[in-house]
Amino acid sequence: MSSSNPIDVVFRFRVKPGKQEQYQKAIDYILPITEAKEPYVLEYNIYNNIEGVFTQHERYADEAALHRHMELTAQGQQDWAEAIELEDVVVLGEMSDKFWSLYGGPHAHGFQEFRRVAR
């Protein structure tokens, strides 16, 4: 599936002390749904380092796909949000005012495309 307006979201966060089980529960809920039922989620990758910082990269076909993902996985999203301490969010792509009203905040930074090389 390809799109001319993909949206990338990159989160950096730490799991709160004592919340590892809740975080794992959230991921165990979200990932199977995403893999089986959400072809418009083009990538969903989670990385971590030795200091306990996680980086999560998600790529969506478009903004509507991101909203569908949040709705379909809402139960897991709540557990995820309660279990983590967000460091920052980078949003790459054209996002609507609706997006920013729902997901914007002091840690969120949006970037619009400036140049591209696509293969």
Side-chain angles (χ1 to χ4, degrees):
M1 173 182 246
S2 67
S3 174
S4 60
N5 296 311
I7 303 299
D8 286 88
V9 183
V10 180
F11 306 86
R12 279 187 331 129
F13 61 92
R14 293 177 184 270
V15 176
K16 293 177 185 173
K19 296 288 187 172
Q20 185 64 39
E21 188 174 312
Q22 184 175 3
Y23 170 75
Q24 190 61 54
K25 177 183 168 189
I27 294 304
D28 290 347
Y29 181 85
I30 294 167
L31 289 180
I33 292 171
T34 301
E35 189 169 29
K37 299 179 179 180
E38 298 188 280
Y40 46 82
V41 179
L42 307 177
E43 292 185 47
Y44 199 109
N45 306 300
I46 304 170
Y47 306 87
N48 67 346
N49 67 18
I50 198 162
E51 291 87 25
V53 177
F54 287 78
T55 299
Q56 185 166 317
H57 170 241
E58 302 171 9
R59 173 170 279 180
Y60 297 91
D62 53 29
E63 182 178 340
L66 186 147
H67 292 296
R68 286 191 303 271
H69 171 70
M70 295 301 287
E71 291 169 11
L72 193 59
T73 62
Q75 179 181 331
Q77 297 296 336
Q78 183 175 341
D79 282 335
W80 184 88
E82 292 173 2
I84 64 103
E85 293 178 12
L86 194 59
E87 292 189 4
D88 61 49
V89 179
V90 173
V91 181
L92 306 174
E94 299 279 338
M95 304 304 284
S96 69
D97 290 341
K98 175 186 176 183
F99 171 86
W100 291 112
S101 70
L102 290 171
Y103 307 114
H107 300 291
H109 309 281
F111 296 86
Q112 297 176 2
E113 186 175 289
F114 176 66
R115 302 273 310 262
R116 175 194 302 221
V117 173
R119 302 197 197 299

